[in-house]
Amino acid sequence: MLSHTRMADKPEAVAKAAEITAQGEKVRELKTAKAEKNDIDQAVKILLSLKAEYKEIAGCDYGPPKKEKKQVEQKVNLEKQKEKEAKKAAKKAKAAELRAKEKAEKGIKEDAKPQKSTAKVQDDTEESIKNYGDYGVINSSEVIDRDFASVGSLDEKMDKKSVWVRARIHNSRAQGSAMVFLTLRESQYTCQALLLADIEKGVSKQMLKYAASLSKESIIDIHADVVKSPTKIESCSQKNVELKVKKLFVVSKSLPILPLQIEDASRPEKADGEPDDGLVRVNPDTRLDNRVLDLRTTTKHAIFRIQAAVCRLFRNHLSEKGFTEIHTPKIISAASEGGANVFTLSYFKRDAFLAQSPQLYKQMAIAADFDKVFTTGAVFRAEDSNTHRHLTEFVGLDMEMAFKYHYHEVLREIGDTFIAIFKGLRAECQREVATVNEQYPRDEFEFLEPSLVLEFPEALKMLRENGVEIGDEDDLSTPVEKFLGKLVKEKYNTDFYILDKYPLAVRPFYTMPDPSDPRYSNSYDMFMRGEEILSGAQRIHDPDLLIERALHHGINLKHIDAYIEAFKYGCPPHAGGGIGMERVTMLYLGLHNIRMASLFPRDPKRLTP
């Protein structure tokens, strides 16, 4: 075995040391220039990765290059010795080839006894060496017509069928020199693949050695036979079949050292008070700092497939009900809902804002006789709230609807939309929900049809009967909302309900006052698992009353001129509301943090990745 010093002199190690030196210089330059912390951290991260790769090659930690004469001479002598040995081996191989050719011409058979010089030939044949390797960079230089099977489609019906599969190496395990197990992962599905040394079938020991050396998360193509597994493979989603590999090619290699392990990021959540099991789990910041890796887990794929279904079901239900999908501006001239929680930006030498809500434009569409509209898009809130349920940017699912005589016509329509989403998720996403529950176990989401509607005074009565002190016109705090949700679940067995007739003092300026009690309003919130998921109301469609309420809230009328103007030409009575897409996903699945339901979350402390 080579000593650490000699291994460090290997050409690969010397080349890697040069990369480390160059990257070290880059780090020093960034620090000298007082560059952004993120840029410095990224450069240091690359430097550490290079040092880890160096250790893999050299067998020792990287240290400053030693320039003593003796070591330089040793390096030169080593290179000369390697060159001499290589020439000698090539000469010997050529001589063996000539002897074999002469014997073949004379009809003399090769001695069956294995010889040292022909061991490689017996291990790899001209045919078997074509069955594995690295594609290199796929740059669309050729067209290859292959039908690929997805990992999720593999089942017993495909027994004995040959398939091509492209997937990531989730895990690998060699058993001796004649068998290698691979766990392959594609999206939320996994399967087991097996390589057995069989030179007759073109699977050599060199091929197994190559497969076992590939790092986790590398992407590979395999050509394999689907075979029924004699026992269930509990560690994979495809439990009844495995793949017997005949060919294996690398599409894209992963670095050998990962910032987090997919297995660690996939471990089931520990319940409060549960004893330490000694297994590694990935903390939230590490997940979000390395979001691309974290998103590769089967649980995250399931979460965002469920989220996609929420949007699809929302859109499909409202489209079937005659709603028109619209798209509203995100750069606006005034705060959508009043207040200071807006992001200001420079807009051609004047101030503009990122929209807090599509509210004003939905109403203007109703005034333009669109009758029933909905929109999906980004919403921005400059709230310095570092809670489990707040984001500074999220996706809003908003709807607005004209009604004939009572805003409950709209309230019922929104309630029916939620019911359509819940029923659709229950019918279409059973597998995804089960996948999430394996890592984050929660009770199944319960709902009533039609939806439960409580009036605000009735909710106050329930709270007061259970020891909560609250005023008639007070808003509900988050803890009080959760407690009320618990009381509603115990009494009505539903995780979804509607709270109607909120106090006017806690609602936006465009909310219609209650005609029979000026303390309250024609407004409502909707809740999932005790947390608010939609806020809505009947909007004021009379321009004089709208001006009066805007002035009451201290809003500069110049900033909402276009909005008020829209109601001066006649506008039907209307109502609507806005849903937070990430909150629906989080609360339906019972997740404990909204960042788990946001692809690349934005909050007061996080702007990247």
Side-chain angles (χ1 to χ4, degrees):
M1 180 180 288
L2 288 173
S3 69
H4 286 330
T5 303
R6 291 182 63 194
M7 290 178 71
D9 287 335
K10 291 169 63 178
E12 303 99 304
V14 173
K16 190 60 65 177
E19 287 185 53
I20 292 170
T21 301
Q23 187 64 22
E25 286 296 325
K26 184 175 179 180
V27 172
R28 280 190 286 275
E29 288 172 6
L30 288 171
K31 288 182 176 179
T32 302
K34 296 183 179 179
E36 292 287 335
K37 185 177 182 300
N38 284 345
D39 294 338
I40 295 173
D41 289 346
Q42 185 62 29
V44 170
K45 189 174 179 181
I46 294 170
L47 179 61
L48 293 175
S49 177
L50 290 171
K51 286 184 177 181
E53 292 172 26
Y54 177 89
K55 187 172 182 178
E56 287 280 326
I57 297 167
C60 61
D61 290 328
Y62 171 79
K66 297 178 180 178
K67 299 181 180 179
E68 288 83 0
K69 182 178 179 182
K70 186 177 178 181
Q71 290 190 332
V72 173
E73 288 175 353
Q74 286 178 343
K75 180 180 173 183
V76 172
N77 290 337
L78 182 63
E79 292 299 321
K80 286 182 179 178
Q81 181 66 23
K82 285 183 179 179
E83 185 178 352
K84 185 177 179 181
E85 288 176 358
K87 287 180 179 178
K88 187 177 179 181
K91 186 177 180 181
K92 191 174 180 180
K94 183 69 175 176
E97 185 182 343
L98 290 171
R99 284 197 302 274
K101 188 176 180 181
E102 288 172 4
K103 287 183 179 182
E105 289 173 353
K106 294 176 182 179
I108 300 172
K109 293 184 179 180
E110 285 284 340
D111 189 351
K113 184 179 178 181
Q115 297 179 27
K116 189 175 181 182
S117 62
T118 59
K120 179 85 165 80
V121 176
Q122 291 180 351
D123 210 22
D124 238 339
T125 65
E126 186 177 342
E127 197 60 37
S128 68
I129 207 165
K130 297 176 183 177
N131 292 338
Y132 68 96
D134 193 329
Y135 283 146
V137 177
I138 296 179
N139 57 7
S140 304
S141 60
E142 60 179 329
V143 176
I144 299 176
D145 188 15
R146 281 178 185 160
D147 289 330
F148 281 82
S150 65
V151 171
S153 71
L154 301 176
D155 58 26
E156 301 97 318
K157 295 176 183 177
M158 302 174 74
D159 186 36
K160 297 185 175 63
K161 183 177 179 181
S162 291
V163 295
W164 280 95
V165 171
R166 176 169 292 185
R168 287 190 184 274
I169 298 176
H170 183 71
N171 216 332
S172 65
R173 176 168 51 92
Q175 286 194 347
S177 61
M179 186 183 298
V180 173
F181 288 95
L182 299 177
T183 301
L184 304 182
R185 189 185 75 248
E186 182 185 16
S187 184
Q188 60 184 319
Y189 301 103
T190 54
C191 70
Q192 180 171 281
L194 174 64
L195 288 89
L196 286 171
D198 189 341
I199 200 67
E200 297 283 329
K201 295 183 179 178
V203 181
S204 67
K205 288 185 178 180
Q206 290 296 321
M207 179 174 173
L208 267 66
K209 187 176 179 182
Y210 176 78
S213 72
L214 297 174
S215 53
K216 292 180 184 179
E217 296 305 298
S218 294
I219 303 172
I220 60 172
D221 279 357
I222 63 167
H223 189 222
D225 292 329
V226 181
V227 294
K228 287 183 180 179
S229 176
T231 58
K232 280 200 171 187
I233 306 167
E234 297 298 339
S235 60
C236 296
S237 67
Q238 310 311 102
K239 300 182 184 302
N240 299 316
V241 294
E242 61 183 358
L243 297 172
K244 194 169 182 181
V245 180
K246 299 185 288 187
K247 297 181 180 181
L248 182 152
F249 300 99
V250 172
V251 178
S252 179
K253 284 184 180 176
S254 170
L255 287 175
I257 299 175
L258 302 172
L260 60 84
Q261 296 297 320
I262 304 300
E263 296 98 320
D264 296 341
S266 304
R267 297 196 195 286
E269 185 177 56
K270 281 204 309 178
D272 291 340
E274 187 179 341
D276 185 11
D277 55 14
L279 298 174
V280 175
R281 286 174 174 80
V282 183
N283 69 52
D285 282 339
T286 301
R287 287 179 181 275
L288 295 179
D289 289 342
N290 302 279
R291 189 60 164 163
V292 170
L293 280 178
D294 182 46
L295 288 172
R296 290 181 186 176
T297 64
T298 56
T299 300
K300 291 300 187 298
H301 273 258
I303 287 172
F304 289 103
R305 286 177 183 275
I306 290 165
Q307 190 171 92
V310 169
C311 289
R312 183 177 67 253
L313 292 163
F314 173 81
R315 179 178 281 112
N316 289 351
H317 175 79
L318 293 180
S319 296
E320 289 170 4
K321 291 287 185 176
F323 282 70
T324 300
E325 183 170 9
I326 61 173
H327 300 282
T328 61
K330 301 298 176 266
I331 302 174
I332 59 177
S333 62
S336 317
E337 300 180 355
N341 296 324
V342 291
F343 289 108
T344 306
L345 62 151
S346 176
Y347 190 77
F348 302 105
K349 299 182 180 180
R350 53 183 165 150
D351 284 344
F353 306 91
L354 292 178
Q356 292 169 295
S357 161
Q359 182 57 51
L360 310 185
Y361 292 96
K362 288 190 302 175
Q363 288 186 254
M364 292 164 74
I366 297 299
D369 291 340
F370 278 82
D371 193 43
K372 296 188 287 188
V373 298
F374 72 92
T375 182
T376 62
V379 177
F380 304 90
R381 299 284 171 90
E383 298 174 341
D384 193 7
S385 299
N386 295 284
T387 74
H388 76 284
R389 68 180 205 163
H390 285 94
L391 294 170
T392 54
E393 178 184 351
F394 61 92
V395 176
L397 309 178
D398 283 79
M399 58 186 291
E400 203 76 18
M401 172 182 165
F403 62 84
K404 296 297 188 287
Y405 299 108
H406 200 289
Y407 74 97
H408 277 192
E409 296 169 34
V410 181
L411 181 146
R412 285 193 296 270
E413 188 66 71
I414 300 175
D416 289 346
T417 301
F418 272 106
I419 297 302
I421 292 172
F422 301 150
K423 290 171 75 172
L425 293 177
R426 186 172 283 184
E428 299 176 18
C429 299
Q430 290 182 11
R431 181 175 191 135
E432 286 80 4
V433 171
T435 297
V436 176
N437 281 340
E438 286 178 13
Q439 186 168 5
Y440 304 107
R442 293 293 185 274
D443 293 335
E444 184 177 1
F445 190 86
E446 301 289 348
F447 56 93
L448 300 175
E449 188 177 3
S451 301
L452 172 68
V453 181
L454 298 175
E455 289 200 352
F456 200 83
E458 185 179 353
L460 294 184
K461 181 181 177 184
M462 290 177 67
L463 289 168
R464 287 166 179 164
E465 287 174 351
N466 286 274
V468 177
E469 294 183 7
I470 186 169
D472 288 349
E473 297 181 62
D474 290 347
D475 201 357
L476 303 182
S477 66
T478 298
V480 171
E481 284 181 353
K482 287 186 175 182
F483 185 58
L484 179 60
K486 182 180 177 182
L487 297 176
V488 169
K489 180 67 180 289
E490 289 173 354
K491 185 173 182 178
Y492 299 100
N493 193 32
T494 179
D495 288 307
F496 174 75
Y497 73 97
I498 301 169
L499 191 55
D500 191 20
K501 294 294 180 185
Y502 263 75
L504 183 63
V506 301
R507 305 306 271 194
F509 75 94
Y510 46 72
T511 305
M512 181 68 75
D514 185 304
S516 58
D517 189 337
R519 296 176 301 165
Y520 294 101
S521 64
N522 294 350
S523 68
Y524 41 83
D525 277 4
M526 300 187 185
F527 295 84
M528 292 174 63
R529 296 191 194 266
E531 296 195 44
E532 181 242 306
I533 194 64
L534 173 143
S535 187
Q538 177 183 353
R539 325 301 187 179
I540 296 172
H541 59 284
D542 177 80
D544 294 333
L545 180 56
L546 190 61
I547 290 169
E548 178 187 325
R549 294 300 302 166
L551 292 172
H552 177 79
H553 280 259
I555 294 173
N556 188 334
L557 296 181
K558 290 182 180 179
H559 293 161
I560 57 171
D561 276 348
Y563 174 60
I564 295 173
E565 192 73 17
F567 301 106
K568 291 181 178 179
Y569 308 106
C571 179
H574 59 282
I579 305 167
M581 179 192 70
E582 290 86 352
R583 281 196 190 177
V584 173
T585 310
M586 174 184 76
L587 295 170
Y588 185 83
L589 295 171
L591 303 176
H592 55 72
N593 196 303
I594 197 167
R595 291 155 188 80
M596 299 166 72
S598 176
L599 200 66
F600 295 99
R602 294 290 176 264
D603 60 37
K605 295 181 179 178
R606 183 169 294 278
L607 192 56
T608 59

